Amino acid sequence: MQSEEIRSRFLEFFKKRGHTIIPSASLVPENDSSVLFTTAGMHPLVPYILGEKHPGGKRVANVQKCVRTQDIDEVGDNTHDTFFEMLGNWSFGDYFKKEAIGFSYEFLTSKSEGLGLDPKRIYVTCFEGDENAPKDTESAEIWESIGIPKDRIYFLPAKNNWWQAGENGPCGPDTEVFYDLTKKGLGKMTKEEYLEADSKQEVVEIGNDVFMGYEKKNGVVVGKLKQQNVDFGGGFERLCMVSQGVTNVFATDLFQPIMAKINEFTTLADEKAKRIVADHIRTAVFMIGDGVIPSNTDAGYVLRRLLRRAVRFADKLEMKHDSLSWITETVIEKYGHIYKNLAEKKDEIKKEIDAEEQKFRKTLASGLKLFEKISEKNISGEEAFDLFSSHGFPLEVTLELAKEKGKTVDVAGFNKRFKEHQELSRKGAEQKFKGGLAGHSDKELQYHTATHLLNAALHAILGEHVMQKGSNITPDRLRFDFVHTTKMTPEEIKKVEDFVNEKITEKLLVSFEEMPIEKARELKAIGVFGDKYGELVKVYSIGSEKTGIVSMELCGGPHVTNTSELKGTFKIQKEEAVSAGVRRIKAVLE
Ligand code: GLY
């Protein structure tokens, strides 16, 4: 079964069972500064898990784009990739364990509606219980009742069967489904044998149902949520792998054209290097598609590291220097009809990847020369940092070069220097990437509402062509990307600032209403989110009939309730181009 069919079968299956299908949110979280990328389907849906009403109702399903780079060292094995799609079905305080497990099992095994996987190859794990939550015998009994024999169900501790996306936020025990990849079939296994098979990747996880009913603060479970939720997550690449009867994700139809393209550029047999190039370029394409640009901080730095590492492995494979941009094209051919933004931005994405390769090549030779000199002995943090700051070597590249020469690198020393180098107020990219989901701080709420005012101001002053292309908020500033072809003049900037500040002093009401998407269109609400939430959407208004409505925008919230809550004066700090026809504003309330 090809990937396209698996994707559509999943959505069809859950649509039939009362779920509203919602599109993937961006890889770059909007209005959440605690993570650099969406790392799980849960990120964009946290407000609804916490009890806010979702316009699509209590059951939704989606395919969410995700990036996880903490597993970067494992890329090249059979099942890890830095970008992946997550199939998700969600219950926001609606169905719970019985239906969720039933749905998962039916989707995985049904030949007519699902993937038709072999039930005899399925193993299941459940939470064994601890001080936070009891042993999940209920899930085990449900599995048994639908046909998974008791001796294929294992109880494991929180390390395996408690799911969370960070130190803060919703979490809960989960039940995980594993699939046997061996030719012969593993048959009956004791718990020890099962754990051994897991460590050898003879069985791999293909999905989990998280029973999200708890909340963590600073790494500690602090209590139960208002409602019991279900978050099923199925790793799409892995599901393609088992459905297609292959034993690694790079052999699925998702990666095959990319691997074939790489083979056009090399005659060498280094399979791991090929997988790394394929993975990193695919991830880079999706990141750039969602507005990330290579840089030395935050998300841009993660992208830079991936691209530079890809260059290194392409060199190992003795590929031609412009081959990465050809691989880019193949990735877009594979995904562009599903993720239209990739097809639309094809030239821009190719240009970015090419430019980053050229940039790295300018310093690569001198960096390698320096490396040869210093790698007579082990490499100090200062030297690794010098390779980074003067020659653009991300730490991974230095580590890999050192490993090839049997030398070590003082990683802690590097990190210390690197941290100092990052702007003082910023958390380092690594740090933040591993961090959890924070709540929305007061300042973030203010910036969120300020973003709506800014959007309205740009429409009023520059014209109706101004379409939002991206937004990102931290407690320190807002960032807003929009369609506009020319640099804003100082007068225009001043007018926009004045517009926003005026609305702040006018103490305007901020409120929302849920309505059918058609009505939102009729009211000429700004449709930033397209039909992201299906039929029923939330529209935030600033102002009232009495004062005049200055902004009407489709948005999930949350916001302040009155513009007078915006503390300080709105100031545009920077206005610059991000790509052809797209401008970026960074602004503060100070
Ligand atoms: N369902 C949780 C996850 O794996 O993302």
Side-chain angles (χ1 to χ4, degrees), residues 39-42 68 86 163 205 208 210 231-233:
T39 60
M42 178 176 110
R68 286 185 196 169
M86 182 76 92
W163 202 91
E205 186 190 346
N208 58 44
V210 184
D231 158 7
F232 169 81

Side-chain angles (χ1 to χ4, degrees), residues 245-270:
V246 293
T247 52
N248 73 80
V249 292
F250 299 94
T252 63
D253 75 292
L254 292 170
F255 273 107
Q256 268 309 291
I258 307 171
M259 296 300 276
K261 187 50 104 187
I262 292 172
N263 279 321
E264 282 178 26
F265 290 104
T266 182
T267 52
L268 302 181
D270 187 343

Side-chain angles (χ1 to χ4, degrees), residues 32 34-35 42-44 46 163-170 216 435-439:
D32 180 355
S34 65
V35 282
M42 178 176 110
H43 281 279
V46 168
W163 202 91
Q164 65 208 41
E167 297 293 287
N168 293 294
K216 263 196 172 179
L437 291 153

Side-chain angles (χ1 to χ4, degrees), residues 444-501:
E444 281 167 299
L445 282 190
Q446 293 178 35
Y447 276 125
H448 196 180
T449 305
T451 301
H452 281 215
L453 286 174
L454 169 64
N455 201 350
L458 291 169
H459 273 82
I461 287 141
L462 300 180
E464 291 303 321
H465 63 277
V466 169
M467 192 172 67
Q468 175 172 342
K469 289 301 251 185
S471 156
N472 175 278
I473 286 166
T474 73
D476 306 313
R477 56 117 182 97
L478 68 82
R479 197 178 76 201
F480 187 75
D481 296 349
F482 60 101
V483 176
H484 188 56
T485 44
T486 53
K487 187 164 177 57
M488 285 174 71
T489 63
E491 294 73 36
E492 284 169 339
I493 290 180
K494 173 90 176 38
K495 274 191 191 159
V496 168
E497 287 173 345
D498 288 349
F499 181 103
V500 174
N501 285 318

